[in-house]
């Protein structure tokens, strides 16, 4: 399934870029990159939701599809509001939670991609 492969690679590449950008932003060396980080985050969520849609069509468990969709709502909601949460010395907790939510999104996408490939019979090119 080519679309699933494209979506999975989109999540992988965006995830890597997001981790690098997030580290730069977190250490104070990339404040000007926040908009780029947000854009890649949106692309990652689109890739995750694409995999969730394809997973639903492939007959994957509804629970996994729902978790992927909801996770795709939580990640940007937290990311876009995290600057206003725990603005004191405990803000790092929110940053760690945001990182874990992002890594979770990548993990869910990997699981969806693997299961879609298993559920979808391979076709040979003519």
């Amino acid at each position: 399934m080519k679309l699933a492969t494209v979506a999975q690679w989109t999540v992988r590449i965006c995830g890597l870029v997001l981790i690098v950008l997030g580290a730069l932003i977190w250490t104070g060396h990339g404040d000007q990159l926040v908009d780029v980080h947000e854009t890649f985050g949106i692309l990652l969520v689109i890739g995750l939701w694409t995999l969730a849609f394809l997973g639903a069509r492939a007959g994957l468990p509804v629970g996994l599809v729902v978790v992927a969709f909801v996770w795709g709502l939580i990640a940007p909601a937290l990311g876009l509001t995290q600057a206003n949460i725990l603005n004191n010395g405990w803000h790092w907790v929110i940053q760690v939670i945001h990182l874990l939510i992002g890594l979770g999104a990548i993990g869910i996408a990997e699981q969806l991609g693997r299961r879609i490939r298993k559920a979808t019979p391979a076709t040979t090119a003519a």
Side-chain angles (χ1 to χ4, degrees):
M1 181 167 261
K2 290 181 183 179
L3 183 55
T5 301
V6 169
Q8 191 169 11
W9 274 103
T10 298
V11 170
R12 289 172 176 167
I13 292 167
C14 287
L16 178 61
V17 171
L18 285 163
I19 291 167
V20 171
L21 291 174
L24 289 171
I25 293 165
W26 196 344
T27 60
H29 296 95
D31 290 342
Q32 71 280 9
L33 299 172
V34 171
D35 290 341
V36 176
H37 183 79
E38 290 173 357
T39 301
F40 274 92
I42 291 167
L43 291 172
L44 185 143
V45 169
I46 290 170
L48 176 62
W49 283 345
T50 301
L51 287 165
F53 173 77
L54 294 172
R57 287 191 53 195
L60 298 188
V62 173
L64 178 60
V65 172
V66 170
V67 165
F69 178 76
V70 172
W71 209 275
L73 292 174
I74 292 170
L78 178 60
L80 294 172
T81 61
Q82 73 173 343
N84 301 319
I85 304 172
L86 292 177
N87 287 330
N88 55 25
W90 288 95
H91 183 67
W92 65 270
V93 173
I94 299 303
Q95 291 172 313
V96 169
I97 291 169
H98 179 64
L99 172 63
L100 294 174
I101 294 290
L103 292 174
I106 296 166
I108 293 167
E110 285 296 312
Q111 187 174 49
L112 284 166
R114 183 174 32 84
R115 289 186 176 200
I116 289 167
R117 278 191 301 283
K118 271 182 149 180
T120 307
T123 58
T124 56

